Amino acid sequence: LYRRYGLWFRLRKLILWLLGVYIAIPFLVKLCPAIQAKLVFLNFVRVPYFIDLKRPQDQGLNHTCNYYLQPEEDVTIGVWHTVPAALWKNARGKDQLWFEEALGSSHPVILYLHGNAGTRGGDHRVELYKVLSSLGYHVVTFDYRGWGDSIGSPSERGMTYDALHVFDWIKARSGDNPVYIWGHSLGTGVATNLVRRLCERETPPDALILESPFTNIREEARSHPFSIYRYFPGFDWFFLDPITTSGIKFANDENVKYISCSLLILHAEDDPVVPFHLGKKLYNIAATSRSFQDYKVQFVPFHTDLGYRHKYIYRSPELPRILR
């Protein structure tokens, strides 16, 4: 009986301790909004570990060059430029100048904006670069300030400015070649911020591709399947308001009302990170927006049975046809 009582006492103590931590976390987040910002960006999570971002060839990208650009003073961002597979042999051993001049070759360019966590060298991102390269695209991607080996503090404004800087850098070298913008997950928020700004200055890209997009960051946080606090009393006040206080909105649903270029949305029905219904809702907003009345807007779902989830749409054998 003594042993049973001691076991129950320790178990009850553990339960009370866990309950105390569970209740304390919302107050901690409310008092320190920077915590919630870090959970949105997850830029401190570097996966895969121990890779040298200066050497994309270590990830099987033998036709890729690593650059460093400086969007602002005290900000440096790491960039990868993968040339089309047709230029693979010519690219071997070439320097940065050759790669920059190659952007003027007769191949379209995709500016890829990745999601939160990880770096430009993430496994599923590298596989997408390879697919797009095999289809004849230049692929330019980068780590936002505060991600990977890029220097600076992350913020929505900073991420958007980094993307604008890289877009202008591409346009200055690509001539009349089409330039498309592809955003994935959190990167869709950067992408619509960027394209809205480009449309407002009357220099829109040739098309916008959103993979696994959400409507806005508040709805995404509220719908996130991994959120254990969704039903916590005062969830909005404790968790969503600090996101807004940190200047994080990623308002895709508002941005699409000001975008005037072709739009393609890709979303897997079994996406466990950004629920499928948010991507569909964003499409419905865009499809009825006056800004898209002269442009094609398309939504392509991928059935649950395919198992593409949040980051494996690149595996679809239909992707070449869809992009064409």
Side-chain angles (χ1 to χ4, degrees):
L1 286 173
Y2 177 79
R3 283 196 298 270
R4 288 181 181 179
Y5 178 78
L7 179 62
W8 165 244
F9 178 78
R10 287 193 295 272
L11 181 60
R12 187 175 63 175
K13 189 176 180 179
L14 176 62
I15 292 173
L16 289 174
W17 184 83
L18 292 174
L19 183 61
V21 171
Y22 178 80
I23 294 174
I25 286 176
F27 291 94
L28 185 62
V29 170
K30 185 65 179 179
L31 292 172
C32 187
I35 295 175
Q36 188 70 324
K38 287 186 175 295
L39 293 177
V40 171
F41 296 138
L42 290 178
N43 59 301
F44 56 89
V45 178
R46 180 165 175 166
V47 180
Y49 295 98
F50 310 120
I51 69 168
D52 186 353
L53 292 170
K54 295 182 178 67
R55 294 179 51 83
Q57 60 268 32
D58 292 348
Q59 310 307 309
L61 295 171
N62 295 316
H63 50 319
T64 298
C65 187
N66 180 68
Y67 309 146
Y68 290 97
L69 302 179
Q70 191 169 15
E72 294 180 307
E73 188 178 357
D74 300 326
V75 174
T76 303
I77 56 175
V79 181
W80 280 0
H81 171 199
T82 303
V83 297
L87 301 179
W88 183 82
K89 290 184 178 179
N90 294 335
R92 297 174 69 178
K94 296 299 194 299
D95 60 10
Q96 178 174 336
L97 180 60
W98 182 91
F99 274 82
E100 290 188 33
E101 292 176 347
L103 283 169
S105 63
S106 57
H107 296 274
V109 184
I110 289 180
L111 170 57
Y112 178 76
L113 306 172
H114 68 66
N116 66 356
T119 68
R120 61 190 184 277
D123 293 341
H124 66 283
R125 294 163 186 163
V126 168
E127 293 305 314
L128 178 63
Y129 311 154
K130 292 177 181 178
V131 169
L132 296 176
S133 172
S134 71
L135 297 178
Y137 297 98
H138 289 276
V139 182
V140 178
T141 187
F142 67 96
D143 281 320
Y144 316 104
R145 60 187 71 187
W147 271 259
D149 58 353
S150 297
I151 298 170
S153 299
S155 67
E156 180 175 352
R157 186 208 67 82
M159 295 163 72
T160 302
Y161 191 81
D162 293 345
L164 177 63
H165 182 81
V166 177
F167 177 86
D168 287 341
W169 180 87
I170 292 170
K171 290 294 288 184
R173 292 158 177 78
S174 60
D176 295 328
N177 294 330
V179 178
Y180 309 118
I181 293 174
W182 184 313
H184 172 242
S185 192
L186 189 69
T188 64
V190 182
T192 63
N193 280 348
L194 169 62
V195 176
R196 175 177 176 175
R197 187 164 177 174
L198 293 176
C199 291
E200 288 174 345
R201 75 176 195 185
E202 299 183 352
T203 58
D206 292 272
L208 171 62
I209 303 160
L210 301 178
E211 179 189 359
S212 307
F214 48 86
T215 47
N216 58 69
I217 199 65
R218 289 179 71 100
E219 285 199 353
E220 160 59 8
R222 189 181 293 116
S223 304
H224 201 296
F226 300 155
S227 174
I228 60 174
Y229 286 98
R230 274 184 294 171
Y231 306 108
F232 191 89
F235 175 76
D236 284 21
W237 188 78
F238 278 111
F239 291 96
L240 302 187
D241 290 349
I243 296 177
T244 306
T245 301
S246 299
I248 303 172
K249 297 180 179 178
F250 291 115
N252 289 336
D253 49 356
E254 283 298 314
N255 288 337
V256 294
K257 298 175 183 177
Y258 299 91
I259 289 175
S260 51
C261 69
S262 296
L263 171 65
L264 170 65
I265 296 178
L266 311 172
H267 212 135
E269 293 179 351
D270 59 339
D271 190 329
V273 178
V274 180
F276 178 78
H277 71 86
L278 290 185
K280 186 67 175 178
K281 182 178 179 180
L282 181 64
Y283 165 74
N284 291 333
I285 293 170
T288 57
S289 173
R290 293 181 61 185
S291 66
F292 283 106
Q293 60 186 1
D294 297 324
Y295 301 93
K296 186 174 183 179
V297 179
Q298 187 173 0
F299 181 84
V300 180
F302 295 87
H303 196 272
T304 300
D305 293 346
L306 296 170
Y308 294 154
R309 297 172 66 78
H310 184 60
K311 54 188 181 182
Y312 301 114
I313 287 177
Y314 72 83
R315 295 177 178 173
S316 173
E318 294 296 309
L319 193 57
R321 178 190 62 78
I322 293 168
L323 294 181
R324 277 198 299 270

